[in-house]
Amino acid sequence: MSADKFFIPAFFALLLPCAGQQNLDSAFRTTGTAVVAAFEPQRKVLQTSSAVILDGRKEIAYGVVISAEGHILTKASEVLDVAAPAVTVDQTKYGSAKILMVDPTWDVALLKVEATGLVPVVYARTSEVGQGTWVVANGATTRTGRRLMAGIVSAKTREIPASGGAALGVVLKEKTKLLEIDSVNEKSGAKEAGLQSGDVILSIEGRPMKKIEDMAEVLKDRKAGTTVKLTYRRQEAEATVDVRLAAKGELFAEEPDRNDQMSGEFSPRRSGFPRILQHDILGSRAIQGGPLLDLDGRCVGMNIARANRAESFAIPVEDLKEIAARLMKQSGN
């Protein structure tokens, strides 16, 4: 048979319905009833060892229970604007949780509720699990119970650099030859360091600052979460402070592109993490802050960002344990 004679019937064959083609029954899809039922043991862990953070009646984040005495880790940028968030663990609601400590680098807050006898998560030995490994996280919450979402680890553990680079968090006055601060971002390291409108920046890391290009040059290769020594003048007095650099996405809302607009509700803070474990569970931004479990119900990480249409990030368990221990120590617990 010539090539032409072979090609024509093959072409028409492609146009015909495939006799063996089948559609996957909805029960066996990732969120289907049959699949969800298979993860009931992990759902029970979520029920007792994860928390729901609320602003009034609105769920704004989840949390990881890390002590029987009511210590909970959650995603900081989702809760810091709430004066006294309420917290639900299992079916018990605790009002007015205290925000004890915040780690801006990892976007993690340590909360405390007045409780005893809570069930902390059991940490996995390592987050170094293979790509394609099943993982489980909180899905929606009903009045009395948790639902779950299942997915897989979808990429290697890696750093996510700050989108747009790192920044001091100040706006400079225009039409002046001095680097005089016009305003200070409320969420910035500059605010934490006590910088104010009217202060004049003199040097950063010992390098004299004469113009805005000098600042850009000294900051361009630095990472969010690191600090710089900044000398400024206020009236006639000079002072030097350590200023934490923040991811620009942490300070200023990023303009959503077309892909973002079609991707659901992603996290406003979704970059600038020293290390992340990536998976494909695509819940809303409000499921962030909760534990990511393996098939043994152990915590392999803490969900920290819905990044885009196909990616979610979690803090690997090794880093999560360090953050938990450090924040507990700094809070005096």
Side-chain angles (χ1 to χ4, degrees):
M1 180 182 293
S2 69
D4 287 343
K5 290 180 179 177
F6 175 79
F7 174 78
I8 291 173
F11 173 76
F12 283 107
L14 290 174
L15 299 180
L16 296 173
C18 179
Q21 183 177 2
Q22 295 181 341
N23 291 324
L24 184 65
D25 189 290
S26 59
F28 298 102
R29 297 175 185 175
T30 307
T31 55
T33 53
V35 174
V36 169
F39 293 100
E40 179 60 17
Q42 294 79 32
R43 190 203 66 80
K44 290 181 178 177
V45 176
L46 295 173
Q47 182 77 28
T48 56
S49 298
S50 69
V52 183
I53 317 299
L54 303 123
D55 179 10
R57 300 179 63 179
K58 181 182 178 183
E59 295 179 9
I60 55 175
Y62 285 100
V64 180
V65 177
I66 61 169
S67 85
E69 293 74 35
H71 294 90
I72 294 165
L73 296 178
T74 189
K75 182 172 173 63
S77 56
E78 297 290 349
V79 304
L80 290 183
D81 292 336
V82 182
V87 172
T88 298
V89 179
D90 201 348
Q91 296 184 23
T92 303
K93 186 173 183 178
Y94 304 91
S96 302
K98 294 180 180 178
I99 300 176
L100 298 182
M101 300 297 302
V102 174
D103 183 326
T105 300
W106 290 93
D107 195 20
V108 171
L110 174 64
L111 307 185
K112 175 73 169 64
V113 296
E114 294 302 320
T116 57
L118 299 187
V119 182
V121 292
V122 176
Y123 293 119
R125 184 179 59 83
T126 178
S127 65
E128 295 298 324
V129 296
Q131 295 178 51
T133 300
W134 283 103
V135 284
V136 178
N138 282 293
T141 301
T142 65
R143 185 176 61 85
T144 58
R146 304 294 169 76
R147 294 173 179 164
L148 65 86
M149 299 182 76
I152 60 168
V153 173
S154 54
K156 293 182 178 179
T157 302
R158 66 190 188 283
E159 178 187 1
I160 301 296
S163 174
L168 292 170
V170 300
V171 175
L172 301 176
K173 288 184 178 178
E174 298 179 353
K175 300 178 181 179
T176 173
K177 294 182 178 179
L178 301 174
L179 295 180
E180 183 176 350
I181 295 174
D182 184 48
S183 62
V184 179
N185 188 291
E186 292 295 320
K187 298 179 180 178
S188 69
K191 180 71 175 183
E192 296 164 2
L195 294 176
Q196 300 176 6
S197 174
D199 292 345
V200 176
I201 298 173
L202 301 176
S203 70
I204 298 177
E205 295 293 85
R207 295 170 59 174
M209 297 288 114
K210 301 293 185 183
K211 52 186 183 298
I212 194 168
E213 288 80 6
D214 295 334
M215 291 179 59
E217 178 63 24
V218 77
L219 297 177
K220 67 177 184 179
D221 294 326
R222 298 178 185 274
K223 296 181 179 180
T226 61
T227 60
V228 293
K229 285 196 178 299
L230 183 148
T231 300
Y232 66 95
R233 184 176 65 240
R234 179 177 300 166
Q235 296 179 342
E236 301 303 321
E238 294 185 9
T240 299
V241 291
D242 290 328
V243 180
R244 176 182 63 84
L245 301 180
K248 288 182 179 177
E250 180 183 351
L251 303 177
F252 310 103
E254 297 179 60
E255 190 70 23
D257 58 23
R258 179 62 174 157
N259 195 49
D260 287 340
Q261 293 171 4
M262 298 178 67
S263 301
E265 198 174 12
F266 53 81
S267 300
R269 166 75 190 276
R270 50 181 167 157
S271 69
F273 301 111
R275 221 165 69 96
I276 61 92
L277 177 66
Q278 182 178 321
H279 60 83
D280 70 350
I281 298 175
L282 300 179
S284 72
R285 59 185 280 188
I287 79 160
Q288 306 307 317
L292 186 70
L293 305 180
D294 64 15
L295 292 184
D296 293 320
R298 296 171 303 192
C299 179
V300 293
M302 174 179 136
N303 291 306
I304 199 62
R306 165 79 189 274
N308 55 43
R309 182 176 60 83
E311 297 174 337
S312 291
F313 300 152
I315 299 173
V317 64
E318 298 87 348
D319 303 285
L320 185 64
K321 289 167 64 178
E322 185 278 326
I323 295 166
R326 174 165 43 81
L327 293 185
M328 290 281 281
K329 182 177 181 181
Q330 291 173 350
S331 69
N333 288 272

